[in-house]
Amino acid sequence: MPRRKDQMMFKKAELRKIFRKKISFLKKLFRVAGDGEVFLLYNYPPRDDLMFLTFFIAKMYLYVERHSETPSISDDELRIFSTIWPNADEYLMKYMDASERFIVYTLRGYSLNPLPEKVNEVMEFLEKDLELIVG
Amino acid sequence: MEDIRETIKKELVVKEAITSEDVKFFKQFLAITEKGKVIVKADRAKATYTDLILLYLVGTKLAHMAGLRETPHSSLEELAKSLSIAPNAVAARVNECVDRGEVERKQRGEYEATVGGITSLKERLTRLTQASGHA
């Protein structure tokens, strides 16, 4: 029986593979500065729920690439989100919905669901819905 | 015995039918063309994939009731194409709806919204509209 830490390391390696496979897509969505600050590279207010979700993906990316200690977004950070995206609470509710489970509660706040199949699903979701915008 | 039978019917039995009230409620989220094509009008930024799928299936059922469509059900392919959702995401969400009794699996991979599904969708969309003013 593997220990919990080993299991987490295994999951992190698996997630890293997923992120690296999708890196060209992700590079179109966000950039990260040396200090770990995230910059979104697109702005489409009618679908700012996608921008909101992209931020969670970027945080998970930083975590799996060992640039950050946590993939979580704290309550304080979320409050800042609300000033950028007035509907942030509704987006959080949507992506945490039992039928979606793209975002989950963590000890430090909220994070992208770390299950590899969910991370894949989120990427697919984002690709598909961004296609609708780009046409 | 007759008394208790009547009491049960009066207090517990729910009508398995779509009412005019339901139709009026879904008017804000759905449209049906004269040829029976279902158009989902819910805000994609706020509605989950499950909401969109259930809405489409409700639209299909209503189009059939209006005599604009031959059958009250839709295939996974139709759902994926009409809603621009990845086919595997549609399959996963529809299966979850089937497990919850919100959708019924018909012959040849066709799916139909149940009255229970319509009720739970109404509840979800009501919560959504109360939170934001409109879905």
Side-chain angles (χ1 to χ4, degrees):
Chain A
M1 186 80 174
R3 283 175 302 156
R4 187 173 156 75
K5 196 175 176 187
D6 296 337
Q7 284 175 329
M8 282 169 65
M9 292 303 288
F10 174 73
K11 198 183 280 175
K12 212 167 169 178
E14 208 175 336
L15 292 180
R16 198 174 300 127
K17 265 188 207 167
I18 295 170
F19 276 98
R20 288 184 181 174
K21 205 172 147 191
K22 293 280 185 188
I23 196 70
S24 58
F25 169 62
L26 296 175
K27 274 184 176 173
K28 292 176 195 163
L29 305 183
F30 64 86
R31 289 270 191 275
V32 283
D35 59 357
E37 200 174 349
V38 174
F39 297 95
L40 297 186
L41 298 178
Y42 69 104
N43 184 27
Y44 186 66
R47 288 304 308 271
D48 50 11
D49 63 307
L50 301 179
M51 293 154 69
F52 176 83
L53 187 62
T54 301
F55 206 89
F56 280 83
I57 294 175
K59 288 288 278 188
M60 182 60 82
Y61 170 78
L62 284 168
Y63 174 67
V64 299
E65 291 294 352
R66 301 193 184 97
H67 297 304
S68 164
E69 275 181 17
T70 173
S72 295
I73 288 171
S74 66
D75 282 330
D76 287 343
E77 282 175 294
L78 265 182
R79 268 192 283 279
I80 297 169
F81 279 11
S82 302
T83 63
I84 307 166
W85 301 305
N87 296 320
D89 286 350
E90 288 169 52
Y91 303 150
L92 186 67
M93 197 168 84
K94 171 187 171 179
Y95 291 122
M96 287 187 77
D97 188 275
S99 68
E100 300 283 7
R101 300 182 302 276
F102 287 171
I103 295 174
V104 292
Y105 282 119
T106 67
L107 289 173
R108 296 187 188 190
Y110 304 89
S111 153
L112 195 72
N113 191 330
L115 291 174
E117 62 270 26
K118 271 290 165 190
V119 174
N120 265 321
E121 204 183 319
V122 170
M123 301 271 194
E124 202 173 44
F125 166 83
L126 207 56
E127 271 182 311
K128 197 78 188 166
D129 271 37
L130 284 170
E131 253 176 44
L132 289 175
I133 298 171
V134 180
Chain B
M1 191 63 188
E2 196 58 37
D3 281 355
I4 190 75
R5 194 175 288 170
E6 284 310 310
T7 310
I8 291 169
K9 277 184 188 171
K10 192 179 161 199
E11 302 295 335
L12 298 176
V13 174
V14 182
K15 273 192 183 168
E16 287 242 354
I18 293 174
T19 62
S20 304
E21 243 180 61
D22 293 332
V23 176
K24 280 178 196 158
F25 175 84
F26 285 114
K27 193 181 160 190
Q28 55 187 320
F29 304 103
L30 280 177
I32 303 167
T33 68
E34 287 174 340
K35 289 183 178 175
K37 189 175 159 41
V38 176
I39 299 161
V40 173
K41 299 192 292 183
D43 183 354
R44 234 182 142 90
K46 292 172 187 168
T48 64
Y49 270 181
T50 302
D51 296 334
L52 298 176
I53 289 167
L54 278 172
L55 267 172
Y56 192 90
L57 290 175
V58 169
T60 305
K61 199 165 180 137
L62 296 178
H64 173 69
M65 288 171 79
L68 298 169
R69 198 184 153 103
E70 269 185 37
T71 65
H73 34 83
S74 304
S75 66
L76 294 179
E77 290 78 16
E78 183 186 345
L79 286 165
K81 205 175 160 193
S82 305
L83 296 168
S84 295
I85 301 178
N88 52 349
V90 169
R93 297 299 193 282
V94 168
N95 280 332
E96 287 167 4
C97 290
V98 170
D99 290 345
R100 288 194 295 268
E102 294 169 341
V103 167
E104 202 177 346
R105 189 178 282 120
K106 310 303 264 189
Q107 286 174 337
R108 301 189 310 273
E110 297 275 321
Y111 295 86
E112 183 180 345
T114 62
V115 172
I118 293 168
T119 308
S120 69
L121 178 63
K122 270 181 79 177
E123 283 167 9
R124 289 160 61 89
L125 293 175
T126 302
R127 276 202 302 272
L128 206 62
T129 45
Q130 278 168 352
S132 65
H134 194 287

